[in-house]
Amino acid sequence: MRSHTNTTAAGDNATRDAVDQKVPLPRCAALSLQHVLVMYAGTVAVPLIVGGALGLSKADIAFLINADLLAAGIATLIQALGIWGFGIRMPVMMGVTFAAVGPMIAIGLDPSLDIRSIYGATMAAGLFGIVVAPMMGRMLGVFPPLVTGTVITLIGVSLMGVAINWAAGGQPSSTRMVDGVAHAIANPDYGDPAKLAIAALVLVVVLLITRFGRGLWANIAILLGIVAGVLVSLALGLMSFDGIEDASWIALTTPFHFGMPRFDAAAIVSMCIVMLITLVESTGMFLALGEITGKRMTPELLTRGLRADGLGTLIGGIFNTFPYTSFSQNVGLVTVTGVRSRYVAAMGGGLLILLALFPKVAHIVASVPPFVLGGAGIVMFGMVAATGVRILGSIDYAKNKHALYVIAISIGLGLVPTLSPTFFQHLPAWTHPITHSGIVLGTLSAVILNLFYHGVLSKECSFALAAGAAHSAEA
């Protein structure tokens, strides 16, 4: 008995040593750079999507990119190093969740609201996340893999429209006011063969690298595909760096750049739903990471990690950016490299903060043509949808005979705002942040239908399924 106890204690100490190991600086720097490269394309995608959808200038989009990198770096440092009751103290890299894209665009495009309402709702959702973090063990029963898989699939499918328009060179039409009446004007350059060819080139480069590349090269295939598209666009004169001379070499991101936040009830509700999705996602990732690193995941440790998600989101709202979550591709990278030290992730957070100091770099990223991003977007957003499908594939449909109804109806309702944007136009304006976001609609549908058919799962079953779903997402 004593021998078994000693063996267990030794195993726990070895795990603790691996997670708390201070890697030699040169190796730590190389590993942390690898983490940043793996997440970079996904990190800057959300500011590009939201900024483009809201019609922001290139300078403002560049500011969003810098703000995003700064907040992601701060959130990563909090998760990896821990501060007070926040941070899981494990190798976690934080980035903007794609789950927030649809609701944020719906809020920003609402005539009665604006971008400041996005930040007000984000800050409120962050505070909500901090408050509900200790209760997530009980709430997991409401978000089994059936619900999370459906929602993640819907997120990817909804975003695919963005990638398609990117590949075609922008929006198919624009709105112009003539004598006080809005008229849709077709975009003559939409679907230009040259732009479609470059988007296809980016996609082909990504496919070739993922097929024949190894190690780091395979992990940054999307980033390399974008670089290839940029080089071709520059050679053909299809990319412009106009305005880069006006951007500073070094600058600090200031809070409330777009003005003081506005707090709208419906917008806050929609972002709080996103926060719940984020916390459920993170719970699964943390449980999986605990198994990968061999570190026992206690309720207290899980709560610290989820509180950091909420705090990161609150910081995001203050610094003009968005909700944050742990990036699954970086959790997968821990498995690939075998390096479990949290200090590698912490240095990665420091690199993100360092990158946020250079506006000219962000301006270059904001200058990347939409059709270049389109080829990469088809892969990125398709992978989000595929991850959801993989999670749904882990469900035993023989035991859950009503699961297909939950999936079918929720995805169907979730696609309504994407396929028919005016479907809910006659409903009161205060409902628009909810009814105009397919992700929010689909999530509400999946939760309600799952409760109707299956009820609430037990805490033990919920944790087991969450960890299994996270492993499915990473495989």
Side-chain angles (χ1 to χ4, degrees):
M1 183 69 176
R2 183 179 301 170
S3 174
H4 174 74
T5 302
N6 290 341
T7 302
T8 302
D12 289 343
N13 288 334
T15 295
R16 194 179 301 113
D17 289 345
V19 172
D20 295 332
Q21 179 186 10
K22 293 185 178 180
V23 181
L25 186 59
R27 186 166 183 244
C28 187
L31 290 167
S32 63
L33 178 61
Q34 182 173 242
H35 271 289
V36 170
L37 289 174
V38 164
M39 68 178 293
Y40 190 81
T43 301
V44 301
V46 175
L48 290 170
I49 297 169
V50 175
L54 300 186
L56 299 183
S57 67
K58 186 187 291 186
D60 280 340
I61 293 175
F63 181 88
L64 284 184
I65 292 169
N66 273 346
D68 182 21
L69 293 172
L70 174 67
I74 295 173
T76 298
L77 285 173
I78 292 171
Q79 279 289 24
L81 299 180
I83 178 173
W84 300 311
F86 299 88
I88 200 166
R89 291 176 179 162
M90 293 178 73
V92 174
M93 296 291 292
M94 302 287 286
V96 176
T97 173
F98 282 116
V101 171
M104 289 190 299
I105 291 174
I107 294 168
L109 292 180
D110 191 312
S112 63
L113 305 173
D114 58 22
I115 194 170
R116 293 173 298 164
S117 302
I118 295 177
Y119 298 131
T122 299
M123 292 170 62
L127 290 171
F128 172 74
I130 293 171
V131 171
V132 303
M135 298 180 277
M136 280 308 297
R138 298 176 184 175
M139 297 178 65
L140 271 182
V142 182
F143 293 91
L146 174 60
V147 173
T148 56
T150 300
V151 172
I152 293 171
T153 302
L154 181 59
I155 291 169
V157 172
S158 299
L159 289 174
M160 193 54 69
V162 173
I164 291 169
N165 285 334
W166 273 352
Q171 296 298 317
S173 63
S174 59
T175 302
R176 183 178 300 171
M177 300 299 294
V178 179
D179 297 328
V181 179
H183 293 271
I185 308 298
N187 178 3
D189 294 326
Y190 188 81
D192 178 10
K195 296 174 181 177
L196 293 179
I198 294 176
L201 170 69
V202 173
L203 180 57
V204 169
V205 170
V206 172
L207 292 175
L208 290 174
I209 294 173
T210 54
R211 173 63 179 85
F212 299 107
R214 295 290 183 271
L216 175 61
W217 299 108
N219 287 327
I220 62 170
I222 291 175
L223 189 59
L224 294 175
I226 292 173
V227 170
V230 164
L231 294 175
V232 173
S233 298
L234 284 171
L236 296 177
L238 296 175
M239 181 173 173
S240 169
F241 294 117
D242 289 346
I244 194 170
E245 63 279 358
D246 298 325
S248 304
W249 282 104
I250 298 177
L252 296 176
T253 300
T254 54
F256 309 125
H257 173 78
F258 296 97
M260 294 303 293
R262 295 176 59 188
F263 298 93
D264 176 81
I268 290 171
V269 169
S270 67
M271 291 301 283
C272 284
I273 292 173
V274 169
M275 192 73 238
L276 284 175
I277 298 170
T278 298
L279 295 180
V280 172
E281 250 188 299
S282 291
T283 297
M285 291 303 165
F286 293 153
L287 292 172
L289 189 59
E291 293 187 27
I292 291 167
T293 60
K295 185 169 183 175
R296 188 169 64 90
M297 189 58 57
T298 64
E300 294 76 16
L301 200 59
L302 182 61
T303 296
R304 288 178 61 95
L306 297 178
R307 278 202 197 111
D309 276 14
L311 181 58
T313 298
L314 174 60
I315 291 170
I318 293 172
F319 281 98
N320 321 284
T321 182
F322 315 120
Y324 286 85
T325 186
S326 55
F327 262 29
S328 60
Q329 56 264 51
N330 293 93
V331 174
L333 192 57
V334 173
T335 306
V336 172
T337 63
V339 178
R340 297 175 284 178
S341 172
R342 61 193 175 104
Y343 294 105
V344 171
M347 182 170 279
L351 287 176
L352 289 172
I353 293 173
L354 186 64
L355 286 171
L357 297 175
F358 303 106
K360 285 189 183 294
V361 176
H363 196 95
I364 291 171
V365 175
S367 300
V368 175
F371 46 86
V372 171
L373 296 171
I378 289 172
V379 181
M380 279 194 298
F381 306 147
M383 287 297 288
V384 174
T387 298
V389 171
R390 173 171 268 168
I391 292 172
L392 291 175
S394 67
I395 297 170
D396 186 343
Y397 290 95
K399 294 181 179 178
N400 298 277
K401 62 180 182 179
H402 297 112
L404 290 177
Y405 288 100
V406 177
I407 298 167
I409 295 171
S410 299
I411 290 180
L413 286 175
L415 287 177
V416 168
T418 300
L419 300 178
S420 182
T422 59
F423 190 86
F424 295 110
Q425 64 177 334
H426 294 299
L427 293 182
W430 63 266
T431 66
H432 290 178
I434 298 173
T435 57
H436 285 49
S437 168
I439 294 167
V440 173
L441 271 182
T443 301
L444 288 173
S445 171
V447 168
I448 293 169
L449 288 175
N450 179 66
L451 289 174
F452 174 70
Y453 283 121
H454 305 122
V456 181
L457 295 178
S458 67
K459 182 178 178 180
E460 293 75 14
C461 183
S462 299
F463 269 84
L465 289 174
H471 276 301
S472 297
E474 293 165 28

